[in-house]
């Protein structure tokens, strides 16, 4: 857990949604921490990593202010990310069915669990992991599984859904499967967003190891496709449907949902 000074600093940044964050080195240094134990040689969050993380937190406001029509943008640059090499003893987590690794942090959010998407009972299509804001989830982590699931279904709780392909797959099959899962959950509203989602994916088939990320916050979904380009979809209906796909009663990966709930309890 981050020290209180770090939590206060991070909350200060998160409470400024309409400004692009330009933290000072002194402010960022407050986010640096040493994990307890291991003879005092715990994990160290470096200045460069913390700066990258805060820049990622500002991504949402930057997109909304700079690119009001960002859903039509096909290519954009990602914000700097936190490299796993910046961490001393914080290692990635392996999804047991596929062996795919998930880094501890992604887009300034914390890993809480992963699972595998299976088709036809035995075909492992992709591994999926979830990253959340531990400060936001701190309010529900000690509650029942039902309350945690309720929070996961609420797009107001920021999260990144990271998908890593476990096999080669045509881009048409990938997008069609997601659209097929989303459409009935949208109940006839904002269906044009489904076409927007398809257009955010380049016409290139996916190979094993390809990575896609969906970062949801409120009515905005930032999507990073397999080529590294970023686009956005603005729709509360779409974001809620996407949350239901991965955390609802009929989640596409039950093991993922189960492990995410367990992970949130242990934050």
């Amino acid at each position: 857990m981050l020290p209180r000074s770090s939590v206060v600093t991070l909350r200060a940044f998160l409470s400024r949604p309409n400004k692009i964050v330009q933290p000072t080195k002194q402010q960022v240094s407050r986010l640096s921490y040493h994990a307890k134990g291991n003879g005092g040689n715990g994990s160290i969050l470096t200045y460069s990593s913390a700066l990258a993380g805060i820049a990622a937190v500002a991504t949402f406001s930057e997109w909304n202010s700079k690119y009001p029509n960002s859903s039509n943008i096909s290519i954009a640059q990602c914000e700097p990310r936190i490299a796993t090499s910046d961490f001393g003893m914080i290692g990635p987590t392996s999804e047991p069915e596929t062996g795919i690794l998930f880094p501890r942090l992604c887009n300034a959010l914390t890993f809480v669990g992963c699972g595998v998407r299976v088709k036809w009972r035995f075909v492992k299509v992709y591994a999926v992991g979830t990253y959340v804001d531990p400060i936001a989830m701190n309010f529900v982590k000690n509650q029942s599984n039902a309350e945690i699931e309720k929070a996961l279904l609420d797009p107001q709780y920021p999260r990144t859904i990271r998908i890593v392909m476990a096999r080669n797959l045509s881009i048409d099959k990938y997008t069609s499967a997601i659209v097929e899962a989303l459409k009935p959950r949208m109940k006839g509203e904002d269906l044009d967003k489904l076409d927007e989602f398809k257009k955010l994916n380049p016409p290139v088939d996916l190979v094993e190891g390809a990575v896609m990320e969906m970062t949801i916050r409120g009515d905005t979904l930032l999507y990073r496709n397999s080529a590294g380009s970023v686009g956005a979809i603005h729709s509360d209906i779409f974001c809620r449907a996407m949350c239901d796909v991965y955390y609802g009663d009929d989640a596409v990966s039950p093991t993922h949902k189960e492990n995410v709930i367990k992970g949130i309890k242990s934050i």
Side-chain angles (χ1 to χ4, degrees):
M1 181 178 294
L2 290 174
R4 179 174 179 80
S5 61
S6 301
V7 172
V8 172
T9 300
L10 186 54
R11 282 188 178 180
F13 287 116
L14 291 174
S15 65
R16 300 164 62 187
N18 296 319
K19 296 181 181 180
I20 297 175
V21 178
Q22 297 292 342
T24 66
K25 185 170 182 177
Q26 182 181 8
Q27 289 172 319
V28 175
S29 66
R30 294 176 188 170
L31 294 176
S32 300
Y33 68 97
H34 293 263
K36 295 181 180 179
N38 300 311
N41 294 320
S43 306
I44 298 174
L45 180 58
T46 65
Y47 169 72
S48 59
S49 294
L51 181 59
I54 293 173
V57 172
T59 300
F60 298 101
S61 58
E62 291 183 36
W63 271 93
N64 288 333
S65 61
K66 284 187 176 181
Y67 308 111
N69 298 315
S70 57
S71 59
N72 297 321
I73 294 176
S74 58
I75 297 177
Q77 294 298 318
C78 293
E79 289 292 336
R81 295 180 189 221
I82 296 175
T84 55
S85 60
D86 283 344
F87 291 83
M89 299 187 67
I90 298 181
T93 298
S94 174
E95 195 289 309
E97 295 295 322
T98 60
I100 290 172
L101 299 177
F102 287 87
R104 185 61 55 185
L105 297 178
C106 179
N107 300 329
L109 301 176
T110 301
F111 175 83
V112 287
C114 59
V116 63
R117 171 70 164 120
V118 176
K119 289 285 287 185
W120 304 299
R121 297 187 178 182
F122 64 90
V123 178
K124 300 169 186 175
V125 183
Y126 60 76
V128 55
T130 290
Y131 297 78
V132 302
D133 176 359
I135 297 175
M137 285 299 177
N138 190 56
F139 296 101
V140 298
K141 71 176 187 178
N142 294 321
Q143 298 185 30
S144 66
N145 287 4
E147 288 300 313
I148 294 176
E149 180 179 335
K150 184 178 178 180
L152 287 169
L153 291 172
D154 185 351
Q156 295 299 326
Y157 287 85
R159 88 287 308 272
T160 289
I161 301 168
R162 181 180 173 94
I163 294 173
V164 185
M165 298 304 300
R167 55 183 285 120
N168 296 346
L169 189 70
S170 72
I171 191 64
D172 288 338
K173 287 184 178 180
Y174 164 76
T175 55
S176 295
I178 292 182
V179 166
E180 181 181 329
L182 286 169
K183 190 172 183 179
R185 291 171 164 89
M186 295 174 70
K187 300 178 181 179
E189 299 182 72
D190 280 0
L191 294 182
D192 58 308
K193 302 301 179 182
L194 298 176
D195 287 331
E196 287 187 24
F197 174 76
K198 287 184 176 182
K199 291 176 182 178
L200 292 179
N201 293 275
V204 179
D205 290 342
L206 302 174
V207 297
E208 182 179 350
V211 178
M212 285 72 65
E213 293 172 0
M214 296 178 282
T215 300
I216 299 172
R217 183 183 182 186
D219 64 355
T220 299
L221 181 144
L222 290 179
Y223 183 74
R224 178 181 181 271
N225 63 33
S226 60
S229 301
V230 177
I233 295 177
H234 301 284
S235 166
D236 181 71
I237 298 295
F238 185 90
C239 290
R240 288 184 181 277
M242 189 66 78
C243 290
D244 192 73
V245 168
Y246 288 98
Y247 312 107
D249 292 336
D250 190 24
V252 296
S253 174
T255 57
H256 166 251
K257 174 185 171 182
E258 179 182 347
N259 289 330
V260 167
I261 292 176
K262 289 180 180 178
I264 290 174
K265 284 179 173 290
S266 65
I267 290 177

